[in-house]
Amino acid sequence: MLDNIRKYDVVLASKSPRRKELLGMLDIPFEIKVKEGIDESYPADMPAIEVAEFLARLKGKAYAEDMNENEMVITADTIVILDGKIYGKPHSEEDAVDMLMQLQGRTHTVASGVCVATKEKIVNFTTTTEVSFAPLTREEAAWYVEKYRPLDKAGAYGIQEWIGCAAVARIDGSFYNVMGLPVHQLYNVLKDEF
């Protein structure tokens, strides 16, 4: 499948083991490259829903500087949004528990921005998923954080872990988007745009 992109050496520019796993599910060969020191700041007045795609594009441009003619670079960023506030990766275990207590019993948006770049073309998109959490006690949140250490995850949780089974009551949209890479939409972009 995806014979049209075989001319490219596909690069996933991410340290995320979940993104690596998800891209691997598309059965395309790729390698991982990580560039340190990319400034991931965004304008303070930018609408929250636009931030993930802005950051993915920012990362894509940073990699494009050193890109070979036959390379295709995929960058992504995932954020959690509740009441217009962005929840990125927690800074500590306590911060993670606090985030989960704010998300529990409510519905939030997970937005993943993706940038696919070659020397000739750049395609960006955002995928959103609505996630509804059941009520969660502070004790449950603290146990989850201590056992699963979700400090590298936006919103302090991984839907594929215990919390997804025990506390996610409903999702409206892509499950894989909540994991960090909307592979269905990415597949269609790779198939139709390149």
Side-chain angles (χ1 to χ4, degrees):
M1 298 308 298
L2 295 176
D3 291 339
N4 59 308
I5 66 165
R6 286 196 179 173
K7 61 186 174 186
Y8 296 110
D9 294 328
V10 178
V11 173
L12 175 63
S14 176
K15 289 187 256 187
S16 167
R18 290 158 304 281
R19 287 195 184 112
K20 178 182 178 186
E21 175 189 355
L22 291 170
L23 185 58
M25 290 169 67
L26 290 181
D27 281 339
I28 56 173
F30 67 94
E31 63 176 310
I32 304 262
K33 286 187 183 175
V34 178
K35 193 177 217 180
E36 300 295 336
I38 298 172
D39 177 20
E40 294 189 30
S41 52
Y42 53 88
D45 61 345
M46 177 174 279
I49 201 68
E50 296 176 14
V51 169
E53 186 173 329
F54 177 85
L55 293 175
R57 191 169 55 246
L58 202 66
K59 294 174 191 176
K61 287 179 182 175
Y63 282 89
E65 297 168 3
D66 306 320
M67 190 183 299
N68 297 324
E69 290 294 327
N70 63 333
E71 276 186 317
M72 171 185 281
V73 176
I74 300 169
T75 56
D77 199 88
T78 301
I79 59 172
V80 167
I81 305 166
L82 179 67
D83 296 333
K85 179 181 174 186
I86 295 173
Y87 292 76
K89 296 172 185 171
H91 302 295
S92 65
E93 288 187 23
E94 185 178 339
D95 188 29
V97 173
D98 288 343
M99 279 188 191
L100 291 172
M101 294 315 297
Q102 291 171 55
L103 298 177
Q104 65 87 25
R106 303 196 56 206
T107 298
H108 61 271
T109 301
V110 176
S112 290
V114 178
C115 176
V116 182
T118 65
K119 279 287 191 190
E120 309 89 44
K121 189 173 191 177
I122 295 178
V123 177
N124 312 297
F125 63 89
T126 299
T127 300
T128 60
T129 304
E130 300 299 311
V131 181
S132 299
F133 265 35
L136 193 66
T137 67
R138 190 163 194 92
E139 181 183 28
E140 288 170 320
W143 178 85
Y144 167 72
V145 168
E146 183 180 336
K147 180 164 175 72
Y148 288 88
R149 314 266 319 138
L151 302 183
D152 64 336
K153 297 173 177 72
Y157 76 93
I159 195 167
Q160 71 280 10
E161 298 170 341
W162 173 86
I163 203 161
C165 299
V168 173
R170 174 182 167 84
I171 69 167
D172 183 13
S174 168
F175 175 85
Y176 295 123
N177 180 51
V178 183
M179 278 183 70
L181 191 65
V183 283
H184 172 73
Q185 192 167 355
L186 176 59
Y187 178 82
N188 286 325
V189 165
L190 294 175
K191 182 173 70 171
D192 299 335
E193 302 283 340
F194 289 93

